[in-house]
Amino acid sequence: VTNHSQSTRKNKMKRVFGKKKAPGPPPPSLADASDSLGQRTTHIDTKIATLEKELAVYKNKLKTAKPSAKKNLQKRAMDVLKRKRMYESQRDQLMGQQFNMDQAAFGIESAKATIESVAAMKAANTELKRVVQKDLDIDDVDDLADDMEELMYEMNEINDAMGRNFATPDDITADDLEAELDMLGDELEDEIGEGADEVPSYLQENLPANPTGTPQHQKDSTEATLAGL
């Protein structure tokens, strides 16, 4: 009796709330839905092109139709035009839906790319912190910079010391220079006045004395000439 009452109660609940529906197929993706809308739009474009051809035929017929037949042709042309406008309206709706789906798909792809970028940046930030904390110490970097600055200062001091001219006095003034130049001028004038009549030293070499007799080869030539006479 108990099992029968439980079964009756379940049947009543099913009639009130209904049975649980079995899980259906998964919904199509945005890309699949967009492709389906694109195919339907292409099909409607084909119908519109066919109706435009019919309108062109009616247009040519109306040019040469008699007044009695013209009214009937206009009515048929109006029906074709109405169907064409209806298909154009449907096509515009489908294209709007497809555009919205494409925009939604683009937004999803952008969101996924952003999530991946953020995750990559977080990983890079964690790795950078680990490397800095493990291998770098700001105090060591400061000490290294101070040591390098001190070494460069000492090297400049050494170079200045090595390039100093110890033989040249630093206390020479403009008056000292003028007095030195005046003194050099007086000494040069004295030397020029004393040695005006003397032969320069570079000309005072062991030169032969001035010749007083006839050269030997000339003497021999003269004697030969006299003997021939």
Side-chain angles (χ1 to χ4, degrees), residues 132-148:
V132 170
Q133 293 174 356
K134 179 181 178 181
D135 300 332
L136 292 177
D137 188 356
I138 187 62
D139 295 332
D140 293 340
V141 175
D142 289 337
D143 294 339
L144 177 61
D146 293 338
D147 292 341
M148 289 296 296

Side-chain angles (χ1 to χ4, degrees), residues 2 9 16-17 23 52 57 76 95 98-100 104 116 121 130 138 146 165 168 176 200 211:
T2 305
R9 190 180 300 111
V16 174
F17 298 103
E52 287 177 347
V57 172
R76 292 180 182 178
M95 292 180 65
Q98 186 181 19
F99 176 78
N100 292 333
E116 293 177 357
M121 291 177 66
R130 187 187 66 80
I138 187 62
D146 293 338
N165 190 351
T168 302
D176 296 334

Side-chain angles (χ1 to χ4, degrees), residues 132-197:
V132 170
Q133 293 174 356
K134 179 181 178 181
D135 300 332
L136 292 177
D137 188 356
I138 187 62
D139 295 332
D140 293 340
V141 175
D142 289 337
D143 294 339
L144 177 61
D146 293 338
D147 292 341
M148 289 296 296
E149 183 179 1
E150 185 176 354
L151 287 175
M152 293 301 297
Y153 178 78
E154 291 178 356
M155 287 299 300
N156 290 332
E157 291 290 330
I158 293 172
N159 291 331
D160 292 340
M162 295 297 295
R164 189 180 304 165
N165 190 351
F166 299 98
T168 302
D170 295 333
D171 55 350
I172 295 177
T173 63
D175 295 336
D176 296 334
L177 176 62
E178 186 176 358
E180 183 72 18
L181 293 177
D182 291 340
M183 185 173 61
L184 288 175
D186 295 340
E187 292 178 357
L188 288 174
E189 289 178 359
D190 294 341
E191 291 179 1
I192 292 173
E194 293 176 358
D197 297 333

Side-chain angles (χ1 to χ4, degrees), residues 202-219:
Y202 63 87
L203 294 178
Q204 294 178 0
E205 298 179 357
N206 294 325
L207 297 177
N210 291 332
T212 56
T214 304
Q216 184 65 32
H217 68 280
Q218 186 176 358
K219 181 178 179 183

Side-chain angles (χ1 to χ4, degrees), residues 82-108:
K82 289 179 181 179
R83 283 187 291 164
K84 178 176 176 292
R85 295 288 173 81
M86 179 187 67
Y87 285 133
E88 288 176 346
S89 177
Q90 293 177 359
R91 180 193 61 185
D92 294 340
Q93 291 178 357
L94 293 176
M95 292 180 65
Q97 295 177 13
Q98 186 181 19
F99 176 78
N100 292 333
M101 289 185 181
D102 292 341
Q103 287 293 100
F106 177 77
I108 293 173

